[in-house]
Amino acid sequence: MSNPKIVFIGAGSVVFTHGLLADLLAHPELRQARIALHDIDPERLETAEAVARRIAAARGAAPEVSATLDRRAALDGADFVINMIQVGGHAATVADFEIPARHGLRQTIADTIGVGGVFRALRTFPVLDALAADIRAVCPDALLLNYTNPMAMNVWYLASRVRNVVGLCHSVYWTMHDLAALVGVPYEEVTYLAAGVNHQAWVLRFERAGADLYERLDARIEADPELRRRVRVEMYRRLGHYPTETSEHSSEYVPWLLRHDAEIERLRIPVGAYVGISEENVREYKRTRDAVRTGGDLPVEGTGEYAPQIIHSVVTGVPRVVYGNVVNDGLIANLPPGCVVEVPCVVDATGVRPTRVGALPAQCAALNRAYVSVNELTVRAAEEGRPEHVRHALMADPNTAATLSLDAIWRMCDDLTRAHGDLLPEPLRVTLTP
């Protein structure tokens, strides 16, 4: 495949677009790729195009760069589509935190499961419907690489709408990178296997030259009491396998922590953290925009993300192993068929091939099944037009169910339904509390 066409949907996420382009154009074989940028915000799209041209010049690359507000035109003839939209932007994120907080529900990141994850999915699904329809019309064989959260719900929703979709997240890589540093072993010398669901996968093997590095980790935790004040370390100590997402994320996928003031203090859980992160993302965009306009410094920094690696492997045939979010077709034996799981995938010129992991440890699978239930009910709510399933999803959600009464869950859903309004699928724009 020469000069592949790579389309960025949501390219106005300029900082992320910047990092991905820096990685893509670092590969000599991709330096003449056709890069098509799409966003619905003209200013952000203009900034993204300027950033792309600056990065290309810095890399000594000569890609064909185009930018358009017309999504179908951007997608026409695409080989790869990178999706990184955020529907509703910062304002919707604030609503996802402030409204549940008024009902007494605490969250930290709110983008995966929980009430924030559910409503983020519901306002994303209509845009995914339109994106999938365009892909089917003008580039049906394109490989869709999804970065938009909630990862598992979005990939589940897309899987029946496009031929080729893989969800990508950096959590496994950075977990293993940080674990290697924690036990004093170079990352390049570590062998590992992880599997589960996105943001709640488990490190099943952690070795160097056949030696179990979990023993080193145990000694490190025993020697440092402050490590025992991390959520993910606490989960590892109780469950026997290290989770592949940060403590902030991990705290809101379980029922034991956020409803207890003492646990929040003991484990230093940053309630509401993502609102600040979202605000910083807006500020970082403005800094990048201003740097482009004034000719200021614009560092060319790679991200180590999987999408550029996948594209390079498919184009060149160079084999790699990455972690992907894909439909569970017997990949993890004790999670439901059809759900979306995170497993190692082999990538080469033939595409992305997930590997079968077998059964997870029973206690890890049990937590994953609670997560999967929230995913299934949310997807069903949209596909079947059943607003009661939105409430059912949150009745099944570990943190929500541990914190709120049934009446409070339904009232909270009504308030969020009114707040997000036309962003939601039309059949779900109804309140159900008498």
Side-chain angles (χ1 to χ4, degrees):
M1 183 189 300
S2 62
N3 301 340
K5 184 172 183 180
I6 305 165
V7 182
F8 288 69
I9 302 295
S13 300
V14 171
V15 177
F16 198 47
T17 297
H18 179 169
L20 290 175
L21 284 169
D23 280 345
L24 278 167
L25 298 179
H27 294 292
E29 299 90 345
L30 300 177
R31 288 179 181 166
Q32 293 183 316
R34 294 168 291 154
I35 305 294
L37 308 173
H38 165 73
D39 203 272
I40 62 172
D41 184 318
E43 181 194 274
R44 281 179 170 265
L45 183 61
E46 181 183 2
T47 303
E49 182 180 7
V51 166
R53 296 188 186 282
R54 290 272 296 271
I55 292 170
R59 289 290 198 212
E64 177 187 314
V65 177
S66 61
T68 177
L69 297 167
D70 184 331
R71 183 179 56 221
R72 184 166 290 198
L75 289 166
D76 192 13
D79 298 298
F80 304 94
V81 179
I82 301 175
N83 179 50
M84 47 191 174
I85 61 173
Q86 183 181 352
V87 178
H90 178 66
T93 295
V94 171
D96 283 344
F97 277 90
E98 289 187 347
I99 292 171
R102 291 202 293 268
H103 289 269
L105 182 61
R106 292 159 165 160
Q107 301 175 96
T108 54
I109 306 298
D111 71 352
T112 299
I113 56 172
V115 63
V118 167
F119 275 87
R120 182 180 283 235
L122 294 177
R123 62 179 183 266
T124 304
F125 289 165
V127 182
L128 297 183
D129 267 327
L131 171 62
D134 285 347
I135 289 173
R136 292 195 301 271
V138 299
C139 56
D141 294 322
L143 175 57
L144 175 55
L145 302 171
N146 179 70
Y147 276 106
T148 296
N149 283 319
M151 179 63 66
M153 294 190 212
N154 287 338
V155 173
W156 194 329
Y157 193 78
L158 283 163
S160 62
R161 289 164 169 77
V162 297
R163 290 180 188 171
N164 303 308
V165 58
V166 179
L168 303 177
C169 176
H170 54 210
S171 60
V172 172
Y173 169 78
W174 283 113
T175 292
M176 300 315 303
H177 184 276
D178 294 348
L179 276 179
L182 194 60
V183 299
V185 174
Y187 172 77
E188 295 74 18
E189 298 180 14
V190 171
T191 301
Y192 60 88
L193 172 67
V197 291
N198 182 238
H199 291 173
Q200 198 186 64
W202 311 96
V203 180
L204 304 177
R205 288 177 52 206
F206 179 34
E207 300 172 350
R208 179 173 68 170
D212 187 0
L213 290 175
Y214 266 137
E215 295 179 5
R216 281 200 184 201
L217 180 61
D218 292 341
R220 183 77 172 80
I221 293 170
E222 182 64 27
D224 186 353
E226 287 301 298
L227 283 176
R228 297 196 291 275
R229 298 185 64 201
R230 295 183 184 178
V231 169
R232 65 201 310 198
V233 170
E234 179 77 342
M235 291 178 67
Y236 163 59
R237 293 175 65 223
R238 305 282 185 168
L239 296 165
H241 294 274
Y242 203 79
T244 62
E245 192 43 84
T246 63
S247 291
E248 293 88 344
H249 275 282
S250 295
S251 66
E252 63 184 357
Y253 309 150
V254 296
W256 317 299
L257 303 176
L258 284 173
R259 68 182 299 239
H260 301 291
D261 292 341
E263 291 294 78
I264 290 171
E265 180 178 359
R266 179 176 75 91
L267 296 170
R268 301 171 293 185
I269 301 173
V271 174
Y274 191 72
V275 173
I277 294 170
S278 181
E279 291 169 348
E280 176 56 27
N281 288 342
V282 173
R283 290 191 292 269
E284 181 64 19
Y285 160 70
K286 290 179 179 178
R287 287 193 289 268
T288 302
R289 178 201 62 193
D290 294 345
V292 167
R293 287 177 175 176
T294 63
D297 186 41
L298 194 66
V300 179
E301 297 177 358
T303 61
E305 291 285 353
Y306 287 137
Q309 298 177 48
I310 289 172
I311 293 169
H312 183 261
S313 287
V314 174
V315 169
T316 66
V318 173
R320 286 183 173 87
V321 175
V322 303
Y323 276 78
N325 292 271
V326 294
V327 173
N328 187 32
D329 180 16
L331 303 173
I332 298 181
N334 51 351
L335 292 183
C339 76
V340 170
V341 294
E342 190 165 64
V343 296
C345 300
V346 176
V347 191
D348 57 23
T350 65
V352 180
R353 300 192 306 280
T355 60
R356 297 179 186 272
V357 175
L360 297 176
Q363 69 277 16
C364 298
L367 260 68
N368 285 169
R369 283 193 291 268
Y371 172 120
V372 167
S373 293
V374 179
N375 291 352
E376 179 182 11
L377 287 162
T378 304
V379 172
R380 283 182 174 272
E383 291 187 330
E384 299 172 11
R386 296 182 60 179
E388 70 273 21
H389 272 347
V390 179
R391 284 78 182 163
H392 297 157
L394 292 169
M395 289 164 61
D397 176 68
N399 180 42
T400 307
T403 306
L404 300 183
S405 69
L406 291 173
D407 283 346
I409 291 171
W410 285 52
R411 289 194 300 269
M412 176 181 64
C413 284
D414 287 349
D415 288 348
L416 281 161
T417 298
R418 284 186 283 265
H420 292 309
D422 291 347
L423 295 178
L424 302 178
E426 187 172 0
L428 305 185
R429 301 172 195 168
V430 297
T431 58
L432 298 183
T433 303

